[in-house]
Amino acid sequence: MVERFTHGATHAFAFGDGGLPEAVLASYDQYDDLGGEDTLGRYGVVVAPEVLGRQLPEMVEAIRRGTFGPPVLVGTDAEPVLVVMSTQQYRAMRGDDEPPPGVIDDPTVRSYDSAPTPGSTPFSVDEWAKDDPFTQQMLEEIRQERGPADG
């Protein structure tokens, strides 16, 4: 995952249990561009990817309890590459509005009024997968299961 963020091939995404977004993984570049450290602060040290793997369940539990501190920076050699934060922190950093009642709070998938981040451009699933052979293979399998496109 760190490798994909290092090469700018991954966009921010939300994750959580039961399909409900609870946390967001974003690139450090986006965090920096949007002034994340100024508005949200940062965890004291840059955490190695393997440490994130071990501590992520605890982080999500802290987000659920409302005791999660500043965003956690993840990278190698003290250089941050990605950031873990709550959906509320991501929305606050972007300056987004609150979702209307009944709308799932996934700030990485906009379904209500919000300004895009600087430099945002639409992209297709094929563009997203272009540099990742595994994702390309998964898309191909999905397309084969669906059969020929209608139309």
Side-chain angles (χ1 to χ4, degrees):
M1 182 59 67
V2 171
E3 182 71 21
R4 291 189 72 183
F5 274 96
T6 301
H7 297 298
T10 300
H11 299 275
F13 63 90
F15 60 94
D17 283 340
L20 295 176
E22 298 176 286
V24 172
L25 200 58
S27 72
Y28 180 78
D29 288 341
Q30 182 185 31
Y31 183 72
D32 189 44
D33 288 347
L34 294 173
E37 288 193 24
D38 295 334
T39 58
L40 302 175
R42 70 180 268 183
Y43 188 71
V45 297
V46 176
V47 175
E50 57 274 7
V51 173
L52 174 66
R54 290 191 306 270
Q55 294 182 352
L56 191 57
E58 295 168 19
M59 291 178 194
V60 173
E61 282 300 319
I63 288 170
R64 290 177 185 147
R65 287 189 310 267
T67 59
F68 187 69
V72 175
L73 307 182
V74 181
T76 55
D77 300 323
E79 287 295 321
V81 175
L82 53 98
V83 182
V84 178
M85 64 189 93
S86 71
T87 54
Q88 294 83 3
Q89 288 172 320
Y90 186 74
R91 189 176 53 249
M93 179 184 72
R94 286 177 39 117
D96 290 341
D97 54 340
E98 295 285 331
V103 172
I104 293 176
D105 182 15
D106 184 346
T108 65
V109 179
R110 311 308 302 163
S111 59
Y112 44 95
D113 292 337
S114 176
T117 59
S120 292
T121 59
F123 61 94
S124 71
V125 70
D126 290 311
E127 290 171 315
W128 179 73
K130 74 177 181 172
D131 295 322
D132 183 17
F134 176 76
T135 304
Q136 290 173 3
Q137 178 184 352
M138 296 301 293
L139 285 173
E140 183 60 31
E141 289 174 14
I142 291 167
R143 289 176 175 139
Q144 286 176 1
E145 288 174 11
R146 288 185 177 172
D150 293 334

